[in-house]
Amino acid sequence: SMLLNLVGSSNADSKEILWKFVSRFHKEINPKEHKIFDELTEYAINYFKDKVEPNKKFKNALERKPQDCPPIWLMRQAGRYHDHYQSLKKDYTFEDLCKTPKLAAETAMGPINEFDFDVAILFSDILFPLEALGMDLSYNPGPQFGLHLNEDNAESLLINQNPISFMEFQGEAIERTIERLPTEKSLIGFVGGPWTLIAYACNISCLLYTSPS
């Protein structure tokens, strides 16, 4: 009641941010059916904006603004060199760490906690979209496919009609990682380009080295 009395109108541009905040506590709420969702938006944004320190260095870098010190992060910063990662690998496989959202967040947070990097990197792998399409993917320890893609088996191999649902673990991993990140840190991800994915799917890199044609 106190919040409703403080709020005058909603800010449409802020609805998505507020909804993520509200939905953490009230999973059953449908924003289209609850007037409180609109009424709380402006108040919530105004209340939190002065209490959250954004990652200014990362924001400045994205906007190409000169600054004394750029944001720091390293490619594969959560990886084999790191004791935190090695300790997790004693109990879990690489796929476990990627596909279990809580573990993916824990893996990504290791370098942040130890080295105070400005940016966390989503712990995942570029080949999961191929598995989502239906390809049989495993890691032993590197990526291995049961069958590689070619013109003859494409229709029988790429059988998953709903690949997005397969990738839900990645969406939840993003949420779990953001929940654990300090407000002054940012989260980034990465993807494999079309050539990289097709090269893995069709084993093209191997063919290039073994067949002159």
Side-chain angles (χ1 to χ4, degrees), residues 135-156:
M135 296 191 68
D136 180 19
L137 173 64
S138 61
Y139 294 82
N140 187 31
Q144 298 181 356
F145 291 100
L147 289 173
H148 285 97
L149 185 65
N150 57 52
E151 294 182 10
D152 297 327
N153 66 15
E155 291 187 4
S156 60

Side-chain angles (χ1 to χ4, degrees), residues 99-130:
K99 293 182 177 180
T100 308
K102 183 178 179 180
L103 292 176
E106 174 63 27
T107 307
M109 287 301 299
I112 302 299
N113 294 332
E114 183 165 350
F115 305 117
D116 196 31
F117 290 135
D118 296 299
V119 175
I121 303 174
L122 175 67
F123 194 76
S124 188
D125 191 75
I126 64 171
L127 299 182
F128 290 140
L130 296 177

